[in-house]
Amino acid sequence: MARVNENFLKLPGSYLFSTVGKKVREYQEANPDKKVIRLGIGDVTLPLPPAVISALHTATDEMAAKESFRGYAPDLGYEFLRSAIVENDFRCRGVDISIDEVFISDGAKSDSANIQEIFAENSKIAVCDPVYPVYVDSNVMAGRTGTYHAESGRWSNVIYMPCTDENDFVPGFPEQVPDIIYLCFPNNPTGAALTKDQLQKWVDYANQKNAVIIFDAAYEAYISQEDVPHSIYECDGAKTCAIELRSFSKNAGFTGTRLAYTVIPKELVLDGISLNGLWIRRHGTKFNGAPYIIQRAGEAVYSEEGKKQILEMVGYYRKNAKVIYEGLKAAGYTISGGVNSPYIWLKTPGGMGSWEFFDYLLERANVVGTPGAGFGPSGEGYFRLTAFGSYENTVEAIERIRRMGN
Amino acid sequence: MARVNENFLKLPGSYLFSTVGKKVREYQEANPDKKVIRLGIGDVTLPLPPAVISALHTATDEMAAKESFRGYAPDLGYEFLRSAIVENDFRCRGVDISIDEVFISDGAKSDSANIQEIFAENSKIAVCDPVYPVYVDSNVMAGRTGTYHAESGRWSNVIYMPCTDENDFVPGFPEQVPDIIYLCFPNNPTGAALTKDQLQKWVDYANQKNAVIIFDAAYEAYISQEDVPHSIYECDGAKTCAIELRSFSKNAGFTGTRLAYTVIPKELVLDGISLNGLWIRRHGTKFNGAPYIIQRAGEAVYSEEGKKQILEMVGYYRKNAKVIYEGLKAAGYTISGGVNSPYIWLKTPGGMGSWEFFDYLLERANVVGTPGAGFGPSGEGYFRLTAFGSYENTVEAIERIRRMGN
């Protein structure tokens, strides 16, 4: 008799952004005349850069002719894309990554959810709190997280590293030693960044404890400060303890185009077993490559034109981040993030709960953000706004929030 | 201290097609003057149909303008594609599937590997032998298959249903009752098809035993006989026991373009729990949608033009299948498949082993096929040829095999 994976049933409620979406839909239906501005979900709004569009057209034409048609892609991704990545994301920062340490995928969400599969079932994971929900939920599905306590909003077998204004949103080493440590910096949702010294300490800690760091660098394009590393491999010894996840979503606008990659150095070996080899096997069995035309689009991101165009695109969103940051600061809000990140993290005014402030903001200013509590218990009392809207909408949203009072 | 998922270490050797690829590369390097014809891997060779190319260009242009740009896709896929599927793959065959029972994905390989995640860890799976390796390997990684016996080539906790010439490649009900039954018909690798009566018996069996059938219909476009069902839902009661996997790879040439879908009817409920709901949660956590432009390409497959063009494309490969089937039959080989399938399954001559015949064929005729033993122990003594080459190469390959003698 077939039975279901009971771990799935432990997952409480629905996915954060579904709940947000539902609330907004209901509000909009009840108030069709209101112009709601969405600064909630981390989805981009600018069109794909011209270099990428041109590469998509060219690759599409290749697929139209027998001589240039491409069937199944190589498991790990096309060499043209992996070479461009190695050269532009690593070598030019003095980091030596070889192309067979780079795995092309259909998105950083998939990678960050799937990566846990290569680790032992009883691995103990540590996450920042608040945190991107996928890290925890994918481990729940795999049966690693113990039981959920609705009151605390925490799982019995997960190590939480609170990130609040008390520690400037930088996690401290946990009391209990984890096996796998998820770190996302620049951080989603807090927008905090780690300096190279701070990240180096985590690398040293992981090497010392034989733990593995899953380093999610999806937001590296937003780094503006010199002492913030773009890759964890800028730290000494990271190759023996860290996996890095990268995305084309936030730098090149690929949220609806789907492309990402994961780096697993060959030096990353546990008990004599290469994680790179395990991921080759996982990729080869449960995945069949990203589309050829999308991989060509990814390659175009690294062309001279492409690089200029994505800098402009990131600059546009950065300007929005500045508008939000400075506008809310002037309005008396306590804020962080936004400097090396497209996310601005604010303390809800007057001790309001995160969801309470969500409703308040939606009703009073018709602005949608994301309740901090949705990212974990330590996010309660915080709220996330994103810089991915249009400039005009961003300016208007902040103006409305200022008018609303604090 | 981090540790690896030891189930991965149980996987013997490397992936079948990697081994085939390696052998061919080595032969070609040693014999650079030989023209090797590949009828091995099930990869298509014809370019994408014009309707699909046109849709890709149009959708790419949409991504270039702010007004029509698309970010994150809906978790389950765009409604335009799911509506086209429901209408053209089901309703027009008298099968009523609703759009929220259809889940768009990046490929049937991913779906067939991931689907096991929603079932209990101790589920007992049954597979045909020979079988597409992904069904078994994904369950090995999940720790469901027990130990591997190199001598028998079998896992201790997997139920094997031999498909050989003795049962006309149609599996019989196993002695031990399985929880999950993988059925791929038209079959990969044997090319055998099930009539509606035969499939109905499996549906009745599954309903009676409370088992779930994972029905892989990736090759349905090649069905030519009237009494062979295109969907398992043409059978009575299938909605309470079957999940169906579909692909755009073999009918529309999407092997390098990546698009597929899975159907999970809402009536499919285990112990009061909807599998449709579990897959929504899985999709929403570990996947982030197929690319917008690729979903538009999928929609174009169902346009009037698209339907005509893919019929032509499938017709081209079918003609190849006929060339192989009739050519080898005339040469005295014992063959099956090829009628409702792009795969021709032949008995190796003179009692040769599958890999022995692989080497023999490569060296004597410079033709690449796939050793039946690579698909499971009951595939030993068989060999798979595919119809996905060019017509000219297919004709030449068969001529070479005929000349080679038997």
Side-chain angles (χ1 to χ4, degrees):
Chain A
M1 192 184 127
R3 284 192 318 283
V4 304
N5 176 348
E6 295 198 340
N7 296 313
F8 275 60
L9 310 181
K10 298 179 191 167
L11 283 165
S14 63
Y15 192 58
L16 170 60
F17 295 107
S18 316
T19 313
V20 167
K22 191 162 166 276
K23 272 176 173 276
V24 175
R25 260 194 317 278
E26 284 167 4
Y27 178 81
Q28 190 74 83
E29 276 163 24
N31 303 275
D33 56 314
K34 303 284 190 189
K35 184 196 159 196
V36 172
I37 298 179
R38 291 154 202 262
L39 303 180
I41 198 166
D43 198 359
V44 298
T45 50
L46 290 178
L48 291 176
V52 168
I53 293 293
S54 162
L56 284 168
H57 281 305
T58 305
T60 295
D61 286 334
E62 284 181 67
M63 296 296 275
K66 195 163 181 175
E67 302 67 39
S68 48
F69 174 79
R70 308 279 189 130
Y72 289 122
D75 279 352
L76 276 61
Y78 279 103
E79 207 169 304
F80 61 76
L81 176 57
R82 295 193 287 150
S83 304
I85 286 168
V86 160
E87 189 54 43
N88 292 282
D89 284 342
F90 298 102
R91 206 159 289 159
C92 71
R93 293 194 188 280
V95 175
D96 185 34
I97 293 289
S98 75
I99 70 160
D100 49 2
E101 295 173 321
V102 174
F103 297 79
I104 307 302
S105 83
D106 68 319
K109 183 178 174 194
S110 310
D111 283 345
S112 67
N114 293 333
I115 194 72
Q116 46 79 26
E117 294 179 16
I118 62 172
F119 294 100
E121 199 186 337
N122 62 356
S123 303
K124 191 110 184 177
I125 69 159
V127 294
C128 292
D129 172 20
V131 69
Y132 176 51
V134 167
Y135 308 152
V136 177
D137 289 359
S138 57
N139 278 287
V140 172
M141 291 172 170
R144 259 184 216 104
T145 55
T147 50
Y148 184 70
H149 300 285
E151 220 168 292
S152 68
R154 292 185 161 187
W155 295 88
S156 61
N157 202 34
V158 170
I159 299 171
Y160 291 90
M161 306 180 291
C163 295
T164 64
D165 51 5
E166 283 171 32
N167 57 11
D168 277 332
F169 307 100
V170 173
F173 300 132
E175 277 173 40
Q176 206 185 346
V177 177
D179 301 311
I180 304 169
I181 304 160
Y182 288 84
L183 294 178
C184 172
F185 287 96
N187 189 258
N188 175 14
T190 71
L194 293 187
T195 63
K196 193 171 168 184
D197 286 351
Q198 287 171 323
L199 187 56
Q200 182 67 55
K201 283 186 188 126
W202 272 103
V203 168
D204 295 342
Y205 173 84
N207 274 323
Q208 192 196 328
K209 305 290 187 190
N210 289 310
V212 172
I213 296 174
I214 312 292
F215 189 71
D216 185 344
Y219 300 96
E220 67 84 26
Y222 292 84
I223 292 171
S224 65
Q225 291 178 319
E226 284 257 318
D227 59 347
V228 174
H230 288 248
S231 164
I232 195 168
Y233 304 116
E234 293 177 44
C235 295
D236 293 334
K239 283 190 185 178
T240 56
C241 71
I243 291 171
E244 184 162 301
L245 313 179
R246 291 286 193 104
S247 168
F248 289 78
S249 287
K250 310 301 161 94
N251 61 342
F254 275 42
T255 54
T257 303
R258 314 305 310 140
L259 195 67
Y261 68 89
T262 287
V263 178
I264 309 189
K266 289 193 208 142
E267 289 97 314
L268 186 43
V269 172
L270 298 179
D271 260 341
I273 299 151
S274 155
L275 294 191
N276 182 290
L278 292 191
W279 196 240
I280 287 176
R281 195 65 205 238
R282 200 269 169 206
H283 237 49
T285 302
K286 298 183 78 175
F287 183 60
N288 217 346
Y292 171 70
I293 59 175
I294 308 290
Q295 294 196 50
R296 282 289 183 200
E299 182 191 27
V301 168
Y302 298 105
S303 65
E304 284 315 305
E305 264 189 304
K307 282 195 266 193
K308 256 184 261 168
Q309 292 162 1
I310 69 165
L311 265 184
E312 258 175 59
M313 181 184 267
V314 169
Y316 178 94
Y317 294 133
R318 268 194 187 142
K319 201 167 83 175
N320 289 348
K322 208 172 168 195
V323 165
I324 302 174
Y325 189 95
E326 292 181 352
L328 293 186
K329 199 163 191 180
Y333 283 86
T334 305
I335 47 174
S336 57
V339 177
N340 297 296
S341 165
Y343 296 131
I344 288 86
W345 190 242
L346 59 96
K347 214 163 178 169
T348 55
M352 255 188 240
S354 292
W355 282 103
E356 193 187 346
F357 186 68
F358 174 90
D359 291 331
Y360 180 78
L361 202 64
L362 179 58
E363 278 160 34
R364 299 280 290 268
N366 308 142
V367 171
V368 181
T370 311
F375 297 100
S378 296
E380 181 54 276
Y382 291 91
F383 200 77
R384 191 189 76 173
L385 291 173
T386 89
F388 291 124
S390 73
Y391 178 72
E392 297 69 28
N393 279 346
T394 305
V395 168
E396 188 182 333
I398 298 308
E399 190 45 42
R400 288 190 199 164
I401 295 175
R402 292 181 64 167
R403 276 203 309 269
M404 174 182 89
N406 183 340
Chain B
M1 193 183 126
R3 282 191 320 282
V4 304
N5 176 348
E6 296 199 339
N7 296 314
F8 276 60
L9 310 180
K10 296 179 193 166
L11 283 165
S14 63
Y15 193 58
L16 170 61
F17 295 110
S18 317
T19 312
V20 167
K22 191 161 165 276
K23 272 176 174 274
V24 175
R25 260 194 318 279
E26 284 168 4
Y27 179 81
Q28 190 75 83
E29 276 162 26
N31 303 276
D33 56 314
K34 303 284 190 190
K35 184 195 162 199
V36 171
I37 298 179
R38 291 155 203 262
L39 303 180
I41 198 167
D43 197 359
V44 298
T45 49
L46 289 179
L48 291 177
V52 168
I53 293 294
S54 162
L56 284 168
H57 281 306
T58 305
T60 296
D61 286 335
E62 285 182 66
M63 296 297 274
K66 198 164 178 173
E67 302 66 41
S68 49
F69 174 79
R70 309 279 187 130
Y72 290 122
D75 278 352
L76 276 61
Y78 279 103
E79 209 171 302
F80 60 75
L81 177 56
R82 294 193 288 149
S83 304
I85 287 168
V86 160
E87 189 54 43
N88 293 283
D89 284 342
F90 298 101
R91 206 159 291 159
C92 71
R93 294 194 188 282
V95 175
D96 185 34
I97 293 289
S98 76
I99 71 160
D100 49 3
E101 295 173 318
V102 174
F103 298 78
I104 308 301
S105 83
D106 68 319
K109 183 179 173 190
S110 310
D111 282 345
S112 67
N114 293 332
I115 195 71
Q116 46 78 25
E117 294 179 16
I118 62 173
F119 294 98
E121 199 186 337
N122 62 357
S123 302
K124 191 110 185 177
I125 69 159
V127 295
C128 291
D129 172 21
V131 69
Y132 177 51
V134 167
Y135 308 152
V136 176
D137 290 358
S138 58
N139 278 288
V140 173
M141 291 172 171
R144 257 184 216 105
T145 55
T147 49
Y148 185 70
H149 300 285
E151 220 169 291
S152 70
R154 291 187 162 186
W155 295 87
S156 61
N157 202 35
V158 171
I159 299 170
Y160 291 90
M161 304 179 292
C163 295
T164 64
D165 51 6
E166 282 171 33
N167 56 12
D168 276 331
F169 308 100
V170 173
F173 301 132
E175 276 174 40
Q176 205 186 346
V177 177
D179 301 311
I180 305 168
I181 303 159
Y182 288 83
L183 294 178
C184 172
F185 286 96
N187 188 258
N188 175 14
T190 70
L194 293 187
T195 64
K196 194 170 167 186
D197 286 350
Q198 287 171 323
L199 187 56
Q200 182 66 55
K201 283 187 187 126
W202 273 102
V203 168
D204 295 342
Y205 173 84
N207 274 323
Q208 189 195 331
K209 305 290 187 189
N210 289 310
V212 172
I213 295 173
I214 313 290
F215 189 71
D216 185 344
Y219 300 96
E220 67 83 25
Y222 292 84
I223 293 171
S224 64
Q225 292 178 319
E226 284 256 318
D227 58 346
V228 175
H230 289 248
S231 164
I232 195 167
Y233 304 116
E234 293 177 45
C235 296
D236 292 334
K239 283 189 183 178
T240 56
C241 70
I243 291 171
E244 183 162 300
L245 314 179
R246 289 285 193 106
S247 167
F248 290 78
S249 287
K250 310 300 161 95
N251 61 342
F254 274 42
T255 53
T257 302
R258 315 304 311 139
L259 194 68
Y261 67 90
T262 287
V263 178
I264 309 189
K266 290 194 208 139
E267 290 97 316
L268 185 43
V269 172
L270 299 179
D271 258 342
I273 299 150
S274 155
L275 294 190
N276 182 290
L278 293 191
W279 196 241
I280 288 176
R281 194 66 204 236
R282 200 270 168 205
H283 238 48
T285 301
K286 298 183 78 174
F287 182 62
N288 218 347
Y292 171 69
I293 58 174
I294 308 288
Q295 294 195 50
R296 283 290 183 199
E299 182 191 25
V301 169
Y302 298 106
S303 65
E304 284 314 306
E305 263 190 304
K307 283 194 265 193
K308 254 184 261 167
Q309 292 161 2
I310 69 165
L311 264 185
E312 257 175 61
M313 181 184 266
V314 168
Y316 178 93
Y317 295 133
R318 267 194 187 144
K319 200 167 83 175
N320 289 348
K322 207 173 168 194
V323 165
I324 302 174
Y325 189 95
E326 293 182 352
L328 293 185
K329 198 162 190 181
Y333 283 86
T334 305
I335 46 174
S336 58
V339 177
N340 296 296
S341 164
Y343 296 132
I344 288 86
W345 190 242
L346 58 96
K347 213 165 180 169
T348 54
M352 256 188 243
S354 291
W355 282 102
E356 192 188 345
F357 186 68
F358 175 89
D359 292 332
Y360 180 80
L361 201 64
L362 179 58
E363 277 160 34
R364 300 278 290 267
N366 307 143
V367 171
V368 181
T370 310
F375 297 100
S378 296
E380 181 55 276
Y382 292 91
F383 200 77
R384 191 188 77 173
L385 291 173
T386 90
F388 291 124
S390 72
Y391 178 72
E392 296 71 25
N393 279 346
T394 304
V395 168
E396 189 181 334
I398 297 309
E399 190 46 43
R400 287 189 200 164
I401 295 175
R402 292 181 65 165
R403 275 203 309 268
M404 175 183 88
N406 183 343

